[in-house]
Amino acid sequence: MRIKAGSQVLVSPYTTHRLEEFWDRPEVFDPDRWADEKAVVKHRYSFIPFGAGPHVCLGQHLFYVEAPLVIANVLSRYRPELTNPQRLTPLPGASVRPKEKLWLRLHPVEGRRAA
């Protein structure tokens, strides 16, 4: 497809991350799709959570170092419980978030002292 010079083009990570050409069962939450043996990138821009090209997020590398440490720390001390499970409606914007409120309760893990 040709794009006319001067046209504006919008690339939606939300849509791109749900293309059947790139992902098996794209509408299903499947964290295992990122397991080492499955994490074969099908196209350079098939997964762009931090943007791409000259506008990629500067905090991307910090996130990949910091997020696992924070998550591991929290989950070693607490067991999360979703207190209001429900179907979620995506609310588009600069980032997609659910229209509904989600409430999470953190229960201290037995034998672990809460910080």
Side-chain angles (χ1 to χ4, degrees):
M1 168 185 11
R2 290 184 175 259
I3 299 171
K4 185 177 173 183
S7 297
Q8 289 187 356
V9 177
L10 172 69
V11 177
S12 167
Y14 179 82
T15 303
T16 303
H17 296 167
R18 286 158 181 78
L19 291 174
E20 290 181 354
E21 299 95 286
F22 300 134
W23 310 106
D24 297 328
R25 301 174 307 130
E27 295 294 329
V28 175
F29 176 71
D30 179 14
D32 285 338
R33 77 176 39 145
W34 306 114
D36 290 338
E37 66 275 4
K38 295 180 182 178
V40 177
V41 177
K42 308 202 188 314
H43 185 277
R44 181 178 178 186
Y45 297 113
S46 62
F47 185 62
I48 49 173
F50 297 96
H55 302 289
V56 69
C57 177
L58 294 175
Q60 174 180 358
H61 300 293
L62 178 62
F63 171 83
Y64 282 124
V65 171
E66 189 174 298
L69 296 173
V70 170
I71 292 168
N73 193 4
V74 169
L75 292 181
S76 73
R77 291 176 164 81
Y78 300 98
R79 181 182 52 82
E81 174 194 10
L82 184 61
T83 60
N84 64 335
Q86 59 191 298
R87 276 190 86 74
L88 301 176
T89 308
L91 188 61
S95 63
V96 178
R97 70 184 96 206
K99 179 179 177 184
E100 300 77 14
K101 297 248 186 230
L102 290 175
W103 297 99
L104 187 69
R105 179 174 290 133
L106 296 176
H107 299 279
V109 171
E110 292 294 321
R112 291 296 308 235
R113 194 176 62 110

